[in-house]
Amino acid sequence: MDIEGIGIELRRNHREFIHFIGTLAQQDFEKKRGEKWTVGQQLDHIIKSLAPLAVILPKKDFIQERFGKRGRPSVPYDTLVRDYQRVLLEGGKATGAFIPIETQWTEKDVALKVLEELVGQIVGSLQHYTETELDDLCLPHPLMGMLTVREMLYFTQYHVLHHLENIKQNQKN
């Protein structure tokens, strides 16, 4: 997937997440389902996942100096998704700064707006990258190790859909 396609998918997938959350009633947004995260926690986790990416992507020189270049081509989207799902099956979980706090119903609209702005910042940063840079530069992922920037963007596309599916499944229970 090229830079333009990545930007389109990032916007589309996050828009779908934002729209779905926007349709929920307060009781569904706040309801605790056992050990599962509430919708507010899912939302906070996605924001916490995007915020560092929005900050670092404009800093290509810093990325190269700090994390270097990857010595292999980027894996395709489907491979990245499969690898992430395997990590989750092996017990991978959010840690540290990515563990969500509860977002209250009264904070929902502001949080959704923040999420939308973060996606816009990330997509806007992509216009400063070449296809080669997406495959050469790398960033650390807390569960998957070093990923190329392209792979990190693939992860970001999928990650929000993964959490949207979790929300939908939790709504059924």
Side-chain angles (χ1 to χ4, degrees), residues 52-72:
L53 194 56
V55 169
I56 201 166
L57 275 180
K59 303 173 183 178
K60 287 193 295 187
D61 290 340
F62 174 79
I63 293 170
Q64 183 169 341
E65 289 171 17
R66 177 74 191 259
F67 306 114
K69 291 186 174 185
R70 189 70 187 226
R72 60 154 182 84

Side-chain angles (χ1 to χ4, degrees), residues 1 13 75-82 154-155 157-158 161:
M1 188 178 309
N13 296 354
V75 301
Y77 175 85
D78 293 339
T79 302
L80 188 281
V81 168
R82 187 180 64 240
Y154 287 167
F155 167 81
Q157 286 176 7
Y158 174 73
L161 296 178

Side-chain angles (χ1 to χ4, degrees), residues 15 20 29 31 35 38 43-44 54-55 62 64 68 79 91-92 98 110 119 132 136 138 144 149 154 165:
R15 205 174 305 132
F20 186 83
F29 183 85
K31 186 176 179 184
E35 296 298 315
T38 65
L43 174 57
D44 185 63
V55 169
F62 174 79
Q64 183 169 341
T79 302
F98 301 102
V110 170
V119 172
T132 300
D136 285 348
C138 56
M144 300 181 66
V149 171
Y154 287 167
E165 185 59 30

Side-chain angles (χ1 to χ4, degrees), residues 96-165:
F98 301 102
I99 296 174
I101 60 169
E102 186 57 62
T103 299
Q104 301 300 318
W105 175 257
T106 56
E107 302 166 314
K108 177 188 76 157
D109 291 339
V110 170
L112 291 173
K113 183 73 171 160
V114 167
L115 177 55
E116 194 171 17
E117 290 170 1
L118 287 169
V119 172
Q121 290 171 16
I122 290 168
V123 172
S125 294
L126 296 181
Q127 68 182 326
H128 304 290
Y129 279 81
T130 65
E131 296 292 338
T132 300
E133 289 170 329
L134 288 186
D135 292 320
D136 285 348
L137 299 175
C138 56
L139 293 168
H141 185 280
L143 294 177
M144 300 181 66
M146 290 304 252
L147 300 176
T148 65
V149 171
R150 184 182 308 276
E151 292 166 344
M152 186 67 80
L153 294 166
Y154 287 167
F155 167 81
T156 304
Q157 286 176 7
Y158 174 73
H159 187 234
V160 71
L161 296 178
H162 168 76
H163 284 278
L164 177 58
E165 185 59 30

